[in-house]
Amino acid sequence: MIIGHIGARAGSKGVPGKNFRLLHGKPLIDWSLDQLFACDRIDQVVVSTDCPDIYAHAIKRGCLDIGLRPAELATDTAAKWHVWQHALAAVEKQTGPATTFLDLDCTSPLRLPKDIEAGLDLFAAEHPDMVMSCVESRKNPYFNILETDASGALHVSKPLPGGVVARQQAPQVYDHVGLVYVLRPDYLRAAQSLFEGRVIPLVLPVERGLDVDSPFDWDIIDFLMGQQIAQGLRG
């Protein structure tokens, strides 16, 4: 039994009300909800939120009724991990044990349906504790990410013996993005944070890895979403 989950907190300082704000004619959250409902591998769809309007919308769409998110999980500092644990327990109380927990960040709406399928396929093939979507980072701490020392002088953040004089010589690093997470429920129940177990990357194209943190991000995503729609990529 595969649970498809979306977390959508009411508060947002960067883009107020972003999760329910219209993007190309429908609420931001619906771009992700539509993908969960369209995936025939997903058995239960659930939204964890502290917002009554978002919650009522999710129930109307056909999501499982687990109630509003507890207040302690609706703060700026609440960990995604604990939100997932709460949602898993609330769903399993009604449905029985799950075999897979899938999460989509609704603030990453450029994900395509094939990205969800790729995450589920990788999880089934490799049997990790978690699959985490990533994109190749444009900056590298071994080469061109810098920090200052006590004197204020710049240094490479993670120097290697002999130094790195070209990006191609540096170890590959990734940006963690919220397109797709696939987890083993036993791991989610027992661990206290993301990286306690074997977490493997699902590497996706960088142009789909943007998420909404600012009005500038919204404008870029609005443009790229328009391109996806025009090209018939949304499925």
Side-chain angles (χ1 to χ4, degrees):
M1 196 267 285
I2 298 179
I3 298 170
H5 171 270
I6 294 172
R9 200 165 56 87
S12 173
K13 294 177 181 177
V15 182
K18 64 183 177 183
N19 292 325
F20 220 33
R21 181 177 172 181
L22 292 183
L23 176 68
H24 284 275
K26 60 186 177 182
L28 179 65
I29 191 173
D30 276 4
W31 290 103
S32 297
L33 268 178
D34 287 351
Q35 290 178 334
L36 290 180
F37 282 119
C39 180
D40 59 11
R41 297 165 72 172
I42 295 171
D43 300 289
Q44 297 288 345
V45 177
V46 63
V47 169
S48 173
T49 182
D50 60 324
C51 175
D53 290 339
I54 292 176
Y55 192 72
H57 178 75
I59 297 302
K60 186 176 180 180
R61 290 289 318 271
C63 292
L64 192 66
D65 185 352
I66 63 167
L68 289 172
R69 184 189 301 186
E72 65 271 18
L73 297 178
T75 67
D76 288 343
T77 58
K80 180 192 292 287
W81 191 258
H82 298 140
V83 171
W84 287 349
Q85 287 178 325
H86 171 266
L88 174 65
V91 172
E92 289 187 324
K93 188 175 181 179
Q94 298 185 50
T95 66
T99 58
T100 308
F101 185 90
L102 167 78
D103 176 79
L104 308 181
D105 275 9
C106 65
T107 54
S108 298
L110 295 173
R111 151 196 342 96
L112 297 181
K114 65 182 180 181
D115 300 331
I116 298 173
E117 298 290 343
L120 290 170
D121 288 346
L122 181 61
F123 183 78
E126 297 294 331
H127 306 288
D129 292 310
M130 176 164 59
V131 168
M132 177 185 289
S133 55
C134 299
V135 298
E136 293 186 3
S137 181
R138 296 181 63 188
K139 296 289 185 179
N140 193 302
Y142 298 97
F143 176 56
N144 56 4
I145 292 181
L146 310 176
E147 57 187 76
T148 55
D149 62 19
S151 73
L154 286 168
H155 299 277
V156 171
S157 193
K158 294 183 70 173
L160 292 175
V164 174
V165 298
R167 178 179 56 82
Q168 292 81 1
Q169 297 175 330
Q172 180 64 60
V173 295
Y174 301 98
D175 292 340
H176 162 197
V177 296
L179 294 171
V180 183
Y181 305 87
V182 189
L183 298 90
R184 189 168 57 83
D186 284 347
Y187 173 61
L188 179 54
R189 294 187 201 99
Q192 293 303 310
S193 62
L194 290 174
F195 297 105
E196 287 184 21
R198 180 171 176 252
V199 180
I200 64 172
L202 172 68
V203 183
L204 296 172
V206 67
E207 65 269 17
R208 297 207 291 275
L210 298 177
D211 59 18
V212 181
D213 283 327
S214 70
F216 179 68
D217 296 329
W218 184 279
D219 289 343
I220 294 173
I221 287 171
D222 180 76
F223 172 75
L224 293 175
M225 177 74 77
Q227 288 191 323
Q228 287 185 344
I229 293 169
Q231 294 168 18
L233 299 177
R234 298 302 304 180

